[in-house]
Amino acid sequence: MATITAHEPKGKHQSKKATASGWIGSALEYYDFFIYATAAALIFPQIFFPKGDPQIAIIASLATYGVGYVARPIGALLLGHWGDTHGRKTVLILCMFLMGFSTVAVGLLPTYDQVGLWAPALLVLLRLIQGFAVAGEISGASSMILEHAPFGRRGFFASFTLQGVQAGQIMAAAVFLPLAHYMDKDAFNAWGWRIPFLLSFIVIVAGYIIRREVEETPAFAEVEKSAQVPKAPVIQAVTESWGDMLRVLLCSLMNVIPVVATIFGAAYAVQPGYGINFEKDIYLWIPVMGNILAVIVIPYVGNLSDKVGRRLPIAVGAIGSGLLSFGYLYAISIHNVPLAIVMSLLMWGVVYQGYNAVFPSFYPEMFPTRTRVSGMAISQNIGTAITALLPALFVAVAPPGAANIPLTVGAITLAICAIAAVSALSARETYRVHMNDLGKPDAVPVDKLEYDRLREETLATARIAKAAA
């Protein structure tokens, strides 16, 4: 145990409370993000924009969705700084309130008929706040869970950050889709669409109650106590860890898989110009089913990464999902609905989780405690913002009427996934490195046999505590 105490931060570790805090916050953030995306496509063009040209209203409405990605790098800079100078707990509470109250405010907005151009202007402002807030959530939550987790189980506990993300999207669909389907159309357009936004208030209250109970992480507390908190963590992260920030940025391009599954895939399947003519109702359920499967798979993959390391699951997940994108797009091209659903579930719900479940531990483990939130937030959000441009690229290179669309888009997707895989494999393996040694280029991992022994001790302690409870 001397090895652990020398290299692990002392203090109270609240693994389960920190994990619950990260889960509920991520669920709220992405519940809000998903209901906005759905409303931007289904309802906002009719109520927040001039009625003269429906096409312009649709484009403008979807553009407000994209505005959220513009705000992400700015949010990453400021919230990353806050998380590394004021602590993980405070930045997560701030993110939750910003996202929650801006979402509730969307549900209270007056329409274009009531206030004219103020309606879309206020909508854009609130979307900017949402994008700003979400930029700090995953990096802050991942860092908090990681720093509270016991050595040997960081991958398992950190994976719940992304399980919360997927669960938030399921909750959004569970609220929004039945309302849109069963409510009278006029009633839904008049006030029914506001219900999912206003329900965010309940999650804000629940999230705050959970997050206030979690103490600051022992790792950050030690840095703060030793007066090592940097005045400019962003600059320090760039100067000391620019190589790892570049790796995170390139790995984050794996967001191409959700883009193919839910954005370009949806356009390819249902837009009349492509001539495939999937039923819209059927296609809307593909992301829901993918998220349900992901919720089940994520903890198992996170646990696997504690056994075999972070790099291998990410590389396999990247190349595997890139290859499956060909089959998924081909299934759409031949209008085979069952095959398209199966390929989507395999690509996104299962294989992609090799990346999705592991990056919440892999990314923050690349950085030292003093710059962890900044290093991850900035690089990940820049990478994600780049992928927001991919739907336009796909449509440009594979427009309606083009030949070999599955091959063209699939090849680009696989190439991006290969870049992410190579970037992950080029990084140092981190799963056997103690918390206080993370981010050090010369850090020595714990011997595999000793690591397995320490991990088994941690698991045995958890089993005993569970049995006593």
Side-chain angles (χ1 to χ4, degrees), residues 200-215:
S200 291
F201 185 77
I202 297 172
V203 190
I204 295 171
V205 174
Y208 176 70
I209 291 170
I210 293 172
R211 288 197 159 171
R212 72 177 181 180
E213 295 298 317
V214 183
E215 295 179 10

Side-chain angles (χ1 to χ4, degrees), residues 70-412:
V70 174
R72 279 187 173 204
I74 302 167
L77 281 168
L78 297 178
L79 294 171
H81 173 91
W82 190 270
D84 284 327
T85 55
H86 292 79
R88 305 354 179 178
K89 178 176 178 176
T90 55
V91 76
L92 287 175
I93 290 175
L94 176 62
C95 289
M96 187 179 64
F97 280 142
L98 283 172
M99 175 61 87
F101 284 119
S102 60
T103 303
V104 171
V106 171
L108 298 172
L109 279 182
T111 65
Y112 182 84
D113 288 342
Q114 293 170 320
V115 295
L117 290 176
W118 278 106
L122 290 169
L123 189 65
V124 168
L125 174 63
L126 293 173
R127 185 58 179 172
L128 283 168
I129 296 172
Q130 282 191 327
F132 181 92
V134 81
E137 174 61 37
I138 289 182
S139 55
S142 298
S143 296
M144 170 168 269
I145 295 173
L146 189 87
E147 292 171 5
H148 270 295
F151 182 58
R153 302 211 72 198
R154 297 191 303 237
F156 171 73
F157 281 108
S159 71
F160 283 90
T161 305
L162 263 292
Q163 193 193 54
V165 169
Q166 314 305 138
Q169 295 182 47
I170 294 169
M171 290 191 296
V175 173
F176 210 108
L177 295 181
L179 284 173
H181 184 75
Y182 291 109
M183 277 191 74
D184 175 77
K185 185 178 179 181
D186 290 338
F188 180 76
N189 289 351
W191 57 270
W193 67 270
R194 298 180 185 271
I195 294 172
F197 290 88
L198 299 178
L199 286 175
S200 291
F201 185 77
I202 297 172
V203 190
I204 295 171
V205 174
Y208 176 70
I209 291 170
I210 293 172
R211 288 197 159 171
R212 72 177 181 180
E213 295 298 317
V214 183
E215 295 179 10
E216 189 51 76
T217 70
F220 181 81
E222 283 193 1
V223 168
E224 194 172 39
K225 187 177 180 181
S226 61
Q228 292 181 347
V229 174
K231 287 188 172 66
V234 173
I235 295 173
Q236 193 165 335
V238 172
T239 54
E240 294 180 356
S241 307
W242 66 269
D244 286 323
M245 290 183 72
L246 179 61
R247 288 184 180 93
V248 172
L249 189 157
L250 294 175
C251 286
S252 298
L253 298 178
M254 276 300 298
N255 197 52
V256 66
I257 295 299
V259 166
V260 167
T262 63
I263 301 176
F264 178 77
Y268 186 35
V270 306
Q271 287 299 321
Y274 281 105
I276 307 295
N277 298 321
F278 268 54
E279 292 295 330
K280 289 182 181 180
D281 287 350
I282 292 174
Y283 205 89
L284 279 173
W285 284 102
I286 286 181
V288 177
M289 291 185 288
N291 283 323
I292 291 171
L293 189 55
V295 163
I296 298 168
V297 170
I298 281 171
Y300 291 98
V301 180
N303 188 57
L304 177 66
S305 77
D306 285 328
K307 297 178 180 179
V308 303
R310 318 293 189 219
R311 297 183 301 176
L312 182 61
I314 286 179
V316 171
I319 298 299
S321 55
L323 288 170
L324 284 167
S325 70
F326 288 98
Y328 168 64
L329 293 168
Y330 172 74
I332 292 176
S333 73
I334 62 171
H335 201 287
N336 189 322
V337 175
L339 182 61
I341 291 173
V342 169
M343 295 302 294
S344 171
L345 292 179
L346 281 174
M347 176 184 72
W348 184 26
V350 179
V351 178
Y352 175 69
Q353 302 312 316
Y355 161 77
N356 203 39
V358 178
F359 86 75
S361 54
F362 185 53
Y363 289 176
E365 283 178 341
M366 290 188 191
F367 304 100
T369 301
R370 62 184 181 277
T371 60
R372 181 163 291 133
V373 182
S374 296
M376 177 179 173
I378 294 165
S379 40
Q380 186 201 5
N381 280 287
I382 291 174
T384 304
I386 291 171
T387 64
L389 304 174
L390 290 176
L393 171 65
F394 289 153
V395 173
V397 300
N404 300 318
I405 289 175
L407 282 175
T408 303
V409 176
I412 296 172

